[in-house]
Amino acid sequence: MENIKDYMPESPDFNQERLETLKQMFPDLFTSENKLNVNELKKIIEPESITETERYEFRWFGKSNAKRNAFTPSNATLVYDEERSVNPAESENIIIEGENLEVLKLLSASYREKIKCIYIDPPYNTGKDFVYSDNFTQDKKAYWEDAGIVEDGLKIDTNTETDGRYHSNWLNMMYSRLLVARQLLKEDGVIFISIDDNEAHHLRKLCDDVFGENNFVANIIWEKKFAPQNDAKWFSQNHDFIVCISKNKSQWFPNLLERSAELNERYKNLDNDPRGDWTSGDLLRKDFQKSGSYIITAPSGKKHSPPTGRSWRFSEQKFNELLDQDRVWFGESGENVPRIKRFLTDVQDGMKVTTIWKFSEVGHNQEATQELRTIFEGDAFFDTPKPVKLIDRLLKIATSPEDTILDFFSGSGTTGQAVMELNQEDGGNRNFILVQLPEKTDDKSEAYKAGYKKISDITIERNKRVVEKIIEAKKAEQPDLFTEDNKEENLKGLGFKVFKLAKSNFPRVDFAPDPEKTDAENVELLKKYIADKEAQLVNAFNRGELLTEILLKKGFNLNYTTELQPQFTKNEILLAQDGEKETLISLDVTIADETVEYFKTHTSQKFICLERALDTTKKYNLKHYLGDLVDVF
């Protein structure tokens, strides 16, 4: 039955009308979310009642809670998806399907200060965007109704302009994620964030809060369209911003860009100088300096003085030194105003990055869509991809060949493609970590009809096809690269492992006493509850999933390897390694006496096992032999 209220006439809302009038007259009394700021009103009406100490700060509703949420431990895990992984043994690239705040928390132990470059393209808060929820719990509408993010057919996390906390909702989403992301960055790391005018001003202040105002590097303007938008109401919005923030500005500097052929063509050798090609630069300065006020006589005998109010760039003594070094050019006639010769051999190996990026250099929106159409043989399947050339430039100025790149709003997966293609170009071994929410695609969309039920399916499939395309191109160029003897070497970096966010293997304690029972009865109920939960862990767990969860939470990265240790005959014990850390680990439900005895003489090895696998004596002995090196779950 439709709501009868929708058909009932209402009298004018005079309170709202008065508020609108007040806002027109005094907009400074209202918050950016169109709410009357009572404290500001009091400052006018009852200034003597205001006792607050004013200070410069950036505040919004929910900020404190968002900060607490960022550092609340995760109760989830990551589960390896072998079926959707591509060449997993040949690559350390990772694609994670899951809610990104919870994923970032899970990565924070293993990848803390390991990421060199982060690029994200978050929702722009245009009023139609989905703004991510900040809790991963399967019982919260079953992971937001299995990421359909709908309730009774409505998107429950869409942030509309009519919401009284429109900007606050977006800021809370971004704040918690940036706080965790900062922990992942190396000290000389950098983050790039795409944004448009809707939240650019708030994002800058938010980054000042998270990273420190002194670590702001630049606000890059990217020309995203190649033609005016004629149906624009005011101005045609032809650009986006990319905010660049460093973890520590004193330690991060952008790499130089490769000099273009066009730039080098400006250098000629008009006088057959043995030092090679050169170009000429102005010898005049814009102000007047007494030391630069003198007459220069050209080879033709023509005399040159600086114009009124200006002077030569160098003192007369320094000019004569340059003249003796044949570094002054008077034109082919020998009588022109002198200019300084600048040799190509003296310039830097590259050029400084500017803050305006033209579409002719880094691509535009339509190019990005066409790239997806090419990969998916005619269909784009994703509305707002970024061009590969744009991410390629970010990677070139921010990374070295061995660095790890993170994108936790990965969308169609452009960052993964850019990383793999750049590695092919310069022989690098960069790795990427992509995180994408398994948000359902519209069931009327071409993506859904083609079998891509979730956006993360597009992310994974795109990068799978990129891998296949690169391999095909390499085979066509050099077929002998992929023989059995050298196939592994030539597949290196061409692939990825897929992981999914999932509930923890460890049962949560949610026991509540029965108020109608006695204390003794509730104690017995608790004992039974604990026994049932322990049995659930032992009988129902997947060994591989549990192994990953334990190692991830102990700081091992997702590319860990394991090797069975033959010296243990009574238990299955693995040596887990990730290139930096190693530990022995057993998931057996009982640890044998012989295994405990082994650690009596091997007291420098870390060992992880299940608490249920130890009785009191074995647990005491392991603690006695290994001390803090034993870890019981």
Side-chain angles (χ1 to χ4, degrees), residues 45-60:
I45 301 172
E46 300 174 349
E48 67 281 354
S49 68
I50 303 300
T51 58
E52 68 175 11
T53 302
E54 294 184 336
R55 61 184 183 274
Y56 179 77
E57 61 180 327
F58 185 36
R59 299 169 64 184
W60 67 88

Side-chain angles (χ1 to χ4, degrees), residues 285-534:
R285 57 186 304 139
K286 295 179 179 179
D287 61 352
F288 176 79
Q289 294 288 334
K290 187 176 181 180
S291 61
S293 180
Y294 52 88
I295 297 172
I296 294 176
T297 303
S300 67
K302 186 175 182 179
K303 299 186 182 299
H304 296 280
S305 298
T308 303
R310 300 183 68 182
S311 57
W312 301 116
R313 189 176 298 276
F314 304 105
S315 67
E316 189 170 10
Q317 179 182 347
K318 178 63 177 177
F319 171 80
N320 288 328
E321 290 176 6
L322 294 170
L323 193 63
D324 292 340
Q325 296 167 9
D326 192 18
R327 286 181 174 267
V328 180
W329 175 245
F330 291 92
E332 293 187 35
S333 65
E335 64 176 19
N336 293 354
V337 174
R339 293 174 66 84
I340 184 75
K341 288 167 69 174
R342 303 188 187 281
F343 291 90
L344 181 59
T345 53
D346 292 338
V347 301
Q348 295 173 308
D349 291 336
M351 56 183 183
K352 287 284 187 181
V353 188
T354 67
T355 55
I356 297 179
W357 294 6
K358 306 290 286 184
F359 67 77
S360 57
E361 300 170 352
V362 296
H364 48 70
N365 283 342
Q366 287 192 26
E367 181 177 320
T369 299
Q370 186 55 45
E371 286 169 349
L372 271 183
R373 292 189 188 281
T374 300
I375 291 171
F376 287 100
E377 301 170 353
D379 291 298
F381 296 140
F382 189 80
D383 293 335
T384 56
K386 292 295 184 285
V388 174
K389 285 195 295 188
L390 178 68
I391 311 304
D392 177 77
R393 171 167 286 192
L394 294 174
L395 297 174
K396 284 179 175 176
I397 67 175
T399 71
S400 298
E402 300 296 322
D403 286 331
T404 299
I405 297 94
L406 170 65
D407 181 348
F408 52 90
F409 287 97
S410 63
S412 69
T414 307
T415 298
Q417 178 176 348
V419 169
M420 289 189 285
E421 290 184 352
L422 180 57
N423 282 342
Q424 296 306 305
E425 177 185 325
D426 67 4
N429 190 33
R430 298 169 187 83
N431 300 309
F432 63 74
I433 301 174
L434 308 183
V435 185
Q436 176 55 43
L437 182 77
E439 181 182 355
K440 286 182 180 177
T441 53
D442 190 315
D443 58 8
K444 296 182 180 62
S445 67
E446 293 302 315
Y448 189 91
K449 294 173 186 176
Y452 305 112
K453 309 300 184 188
K454 306 184 294 285
I455 292 176
S456 49
D457 292 338
I458 300 171
T459 313
I460 293 167
E461 182 64 20
R462 175 184 188 157
N463 282 278
K464 177 184 177 182
R465 294 187 179 211
V466 169
V467 168
E468 292 169 347
K469 177 185 172 184
I470 293 173
I471 292 174
E472 285 176 11
K474 293 180 77 168
K475 282 182 177 179
E477 186 177 335
Q478 290 181 273
D480 58 343
L481 286 178
F482 291 89
T483 64
E484 286 303 318
D485 292 336
N486 61 15
K487 181 171 67 173
E488 182 177 323
E489 177 183 345
N490 288 290
L491 283 174
K492 187 176 181 182
L494 292 174
F496 49 85
K497 300 179 182 72
V498 175
F499 289 84
K500 297 182 292 186
L501 187 68
K503 293 176 69 175
S504 171
N505 289 281
F506 293 92
R508 290 177 295 163
V509 177
D510 49 11
F511 174 80
D514 187 338
E516 296 183 1
K517 296 187 181 297
T518 65
D519 288 346
E521 288 174 326
N522 274 316
V523 168
E524 290 304 312
L525 286 175
L526 177 59
K527 288 179 180 179
K528 183 179 184 304
Y529 175 87
I530 293 172
D532 290 344
K533 287 293 185 180
E534 287 181 342

Side-chain angles (χ1 to χ4, degrees), residues 259-294:
R259 292 183 61 82
S260 65
E262 181 183 354
L263 276 178
N264 289 339
E265 285 173 1
R266 299 176 186 175
Y267 290 79
K268 309 288 184 183
N269 196 346
L270 301 177
D271 59 354
N272 297 316
D273 194 305
R275 290 165 290 191
D277 292 347
W278 52 269
T279 189
S280 64
D282 195 353
L283 198 60
L284 285 165
R285 57 186 304 139
K286 295 179 179 179
D287 61 352
F288 176 79
Q289 294 288 334
K290 187 176 181 180
S291 61
S293 180
Y294 52 88

Side-chain angles (χ1 to χ4, degrees), residues 128-373:
K128 302 174 183 177
D129 301 317
F130 167 65
V131 175
Y132 288 35
S133 293
D134 282 346
N135 291 325
F136 169 77
T137 52
Q138 197 65 34
D139 52 348
K140 186 191 177 186
K141 284 295 179 182
Y143 193 13
W144 319 323
E145 293 192 9
D146 288 333
I149 313 142
V150 294
E151 181 177 1
D152 298 329
L154 300 175
K155 255 190 174 184
I156 58 176
D157 285 84
T158 297
N159 195 33
T160 61
E161 292 186 43
T162 55
D163 191 315
R165 294 170 183 162
Y166 174 62
H167 293 293
S168 293
N169 292 339
W170 187 86
L171 286 165
N172 288 329
M173 176 196 73
M174 294 297 296
Y175 189 45
S176 53
R177 286 155 180 80
L178 290 178
L179 284 167
V180 184
R182 183 184 179 278
Q183 295 185 124
L184 301 178
L185 278 176
K186 290 183 171 183
E187 197 64 18
D188 61 348
V190 64
I191 182 170
F192 297 95
I193 308 172
S194 284
I195 200 69
D196 71 0
D197 282 318
N198 284 289
E199 296 289 354
H201 51 306
H202 288 145
L203 177 64
R204 173 68 192 278
K205 289 187 285 185
L206 183 65
C207 288
D208 287 347
D209 199 311
V210 174
F211 294 92
E213 187 175 354
N214 57 317
N215 288 314
F216 169 77
V217 177
N219 198 26
I220 300 163
I221 296 172
W222 167 48
E223 188 182 25
K224 66 180 180 179
K225 296 179 182 177
F226 60 85
Q229 188 174 340
N230 292 325
D231 60 351
K233 191 172 182 179
W234 287 285
F235 290 87
S236 174
Q237 297 289 339
N238 279 41
H239 73 277
D240 275 353
F241 302 104
I242 302 175
V243 181
C244 175
I245 310 287
S246 61
K247 174 82 171 283
N248 186 330
K249 194 173 180 180
S250 66
Q251 295 194 32
W252 182 80
F253 300 93
N255 301 325
L256 296 174
L257 289 174
E258 183 179 354
R259 292 183 61 82
S260 65
E262 181 183 354
L263 276 178
N264 289 339
E265 285 173 1
R266 299 176 186 175
Y267 290 79
K268 309 288 184 183
N269 196 346
L270 301 177
D271 59 354
N272 297 316
D273 194 305
R275 290 165 290 191
D277 292 347
W278 52 269
T279 189
S280 64
D282 195 353
L283 198 60
L284 285 165
R285 57 186 304 139
K286 295 179 179 179
D287 61 352
F288 176 79
Q289 294 288 334
K290 187 176 181 180
S291 61
S293 180
Y294 52 88
I295 297 172
I296 294 176
T297 303
S300 67
K302 186 175 182 179
K303 299 186 182 299
H304 296 280
S305 298
T308 303
R310 300 183 68 182
S311 57
W312 301 116
R313 189 176 298 276
F314 304 105
S315 67
E316 189 170 10
Q317 179 182 347
K318 178 63 177 177
F319 171 80
N320 288 328
E321 290 176 6
L322 294 170
L323 193 63
D324 292 340
Q325 296 167 9
D326 192 18
R327 286 181 174 267
V328 180
W329 175 245
F330 291 92
E332 293 187 35
S333 65
E335 64 176 19
N336 293 354
V337 174
R339 293 174 66 84
I340 184 75
K341 288 167 69 174
R342 303 188 187 281
F343 291 90
L344 181 59
T345 53
D346 292 338
V347 301
Q348 295 173 308
D349 291 336
M351 56 183 183
K352 287 284 187 181
V353 188
T354 67
T355 55
I356 297 179
W357 294 6
K358 306 290 286 184
F359 67 77
S360 57
E361 300 170 352
V362 296
H364 48 70
N365 283 342
Q366 287 192 26
E367 181 177 320
T369 299
Q370 186 55 45
E371 286 169 349
L372 271 183
R373 292 189 188 281

